[in-house]
Amino acid sequence: MSKFYGIGVGVGDPEMITLKAINTLKKLDILILPNAGRDIESTAYNIVKEYLKTDIKFVDMEISMNPNIEKRKEERIKNSKIIEEYLEKNLNVGFITIGDPMTYSTYVYLIENINEKYQVETIPGISSFVDIASRINIPLVVGDETLKVISLSKKCTSQHIIEEIKNSDNIVVMKVSLRFEELKEALKITGNEKNIALVCESGKDEQKIYFNLENLTKEDIPYFSTLILKKGGIEKWKKFIS
């Protein structure tokens, strides 16, 4: 029986894809290439291309960012119907996603609208903050510490971010570029300017690591950027960073 697979491919380093993901990719008849107007499609495709069948069919899928919520819902349902049509033909369909399919991924909008009569399997991938913590040898949590993962949105203010910082020992901030100046202000107000590590384009040739945001502007921050804040300090963990 055919199946729809959501496949997490990590954050950019082709060596960080799992064996489970590789074995799943080899079974696909159809590969959905998501297009959200960013570099997501090319990054994900470049990671998986060597594992695909030679006769696989590619389907470009526009991922709606329509500001009209009802229109966005309609377009997501339409995309799910496209996948169902391939499943009805007994074809295995895959949707590749940067990071993990269940962590801020457009994949969830597809399975939200796919009929329950179809089989769905999700293959986890390494999220950006997990990859970054290991890449720079800075622990996300130690002992009894707490961890919060937040995503900045266009509606975020510095006060919103301050409140999030107050309520956890460690914060992972995703989609940093959307409200970078507000984030900088919140870090300054809470006295956490030196307690952060910002990694841009993790796992790629153009990867950059920052421990000080003072001289950076929003224009310096690419979409694939994640910040880790440790209120207990990160200085002692920086010893293995060259």
Side-chain angles (χ1 to χ4, degrees), residues 7-9 14-23 25 123-126:
I7 306 164
V9 300
E15 292 186 316
M16 298 299 285
I17 190 171
T18 66
L19 286 173
K20 178 76 170 180
I22 290 172
N23 290 332
L25 288 163
I123 314 300
I126 298 174

Side-chain angles (χ1 to χ4, degrees), residues 122-203:
T122 305
I123 314 300
I126 298 174
S127 296
S128 60
F129 56 92
V130 176
D131 174 85
I132 287 168
S134 296
R135 193 172 293 276
I136 60 178
N137 292 299
I138 293 180
L140 289 171
V141 282
V142 179
D144 296 329
E145 292 178 349
T146 56
L147 173 67
K148 179 180 290 185
V149 180
I150 66 172
S151 174
L152 301 188
S153 72
K154 294 179 180 179
K155 297 180 180 179
C156 275
T157 65
S158 57
Q159 189 58 42
H160 289 142
I161 302 170
I162 289 169
E163 292 302 315
E164 296 287 9
I165 291 173
K166 285 180 179 178
N167 296 320
S168 192
D169 301 316
N170 304 282
I171 310 282
V172 168
V173 185
M174 305 183 73
K175 301 185 181 179
V176 171
S177 61
L178 291 180
R179 280 292 178 263
F180 184 65
E181 295 303 328
E182 288 81 356
L183 174 61
K184 283 176 63 176
E185 183 180 359
L187 292 172
K188 184 176 182 179
I189 291 172
T190 59
N192 284 292
E193 302 109 303
K194 296 182 179 180
N195 296 332
I196 60 93
L198 171 66
V199 180
C200 306
E201 305 290 3
S202 181

Side-chain angles (χ1 to χ4, degrees), residues 1-239:
M1 186 175 179
S2 62
K3 188 180 288 189
F4 178 49
Y5 296 92
I7 306 164
V9 300
V11 296
D13 184 345
E15 292 186 316
M16 298 299 285
I17 190 171
T18 66
L19 286 173
K20 178 76 170 180
I22 290 172
N23 290 332
T24 302
L25 288 163
K26 292 176 179 178
K27 296 188 291 186
L28 299 181
D29 303 300
I30 306 291
L31 180 64
I32 304 294
L33 297 177
N35 178 10
R38 306 187 187 99
D39 188 35
I40 294 173
E41 176 207 315
S42 59
T43 299
Y45 174 70
N46 286 334
I47 293 172
V48 307
K49 59 185 178 183
E50 64 181 287
Y51 306 118
L52 303 172
K53 295 193 296 188
T54 56
D55 61 344
I56 193 168
K57 178 179 178 180
F58 299 104
V59 175
D60 289 315
M61 182 170 285
E62 190 73 28
I63 304 301
S64 176
M65 297 297 171
N66 195 318
N68 184 308
I69 294 176
E70 290 306 313
K71 288 290 185 182
R72 196 160 63 218
K73 287 180 179 179
E74 291 175 10
E75 290 163 11
R76 288 169 179 172
I77 291 172
K78 183 179 178 180
N79 284 341
S80 296
K81 295 300 181 186
I82 292 172
I83 292 168
E84 290 179 350
E85 288 174 7
Y86 288 116
L87 295 174
E88 282 292 333
K89 296 176 182 178
N90 203 32
L91 298 171
N92 287 321
V93 184
F95 182 95
I96 52 176
T97 177
I98 291 295
D100 178 74
M102 292 300 186
T103 309
Y104 296 119
S105 169
T106 52
Y107 165 73
V108 298
Y109 301 125
L110 294 174
I111 62 173
E112 180 182 25
N113 292 294
I114 286 179
N115 191 287
E116 62 268 22
K117 74 177 183 177
Y118 299 105
Q119 290 194 25
V120 172
E121 183 176 348
T122 305
I123 314 300
I126 298 174
S127 296
S128 60
F129 56 92
V130 176
D131 174 85
I132 287 168
S134 296
R135 193 172 293 276
I136 60 178
N137 292 299
I138 293 180
L140 289 171
V141 282
V142 179
D144 296 329
E145 292 178 349
T146 56
L147 173 67
K148 179 180 290 185
V149 180
I150 66 172
S151 174
L152 301 188
S153 72
K154 294 179 180 179
K155 297 180 180 179
C156 275
T157 65
S158 57
Q159 189 58 42
H160 289 142
I161 302 170
I162 289 169
E163 292 302 315
E164 296 287 9
I165 291 173
K166 285 180 179 178
N167 296 320
S168 192
D169 301 316
N170 304 282
I171 310 282
V172 168
V173 185
M174 305 183 73
K175 301 185 181 179
V176 171
S177 61
L178 291 180
R179 280 292 178 263
F180 184 65
E181 295 303 328
E182 288 81 356
L183 174 61
K184 283 176 63 176
E185 183 180 359
L187 292 172
K188 184 176 182 179
I189 291 172
T190 59
N192 284 292
E193 302 109 303
K194 296 182 179 180
N195 296 332
I196 60 93
L198 171 66
V199 180
C200 306
E201 305 290 3
S202 181
K204 301 178 184 178
D205 293 337
E206 57 269 37
Q207 173 182 292
K208 292 183 179 180
I209 304 172
Y210 301 99
F211 297 102
N212 187 331
L213 309 184
E214 185 177 355
N215 296 320
L216 297 177
T217 66
K218 179 179 179 180
E219 286 67 36
D220 299 316
I221 310 301
Y223 179 77
F224 293 111
S225 299
T226 300
L227 181 139
I228 295 175
L229 163 62
K230 294 190 70 65
K231 286 161 66 175
I234 66 167
E235 198 61 36
K236 67 180 179 180
W237 302 109
K238 290 162 63 175
K239 60 184 178 180

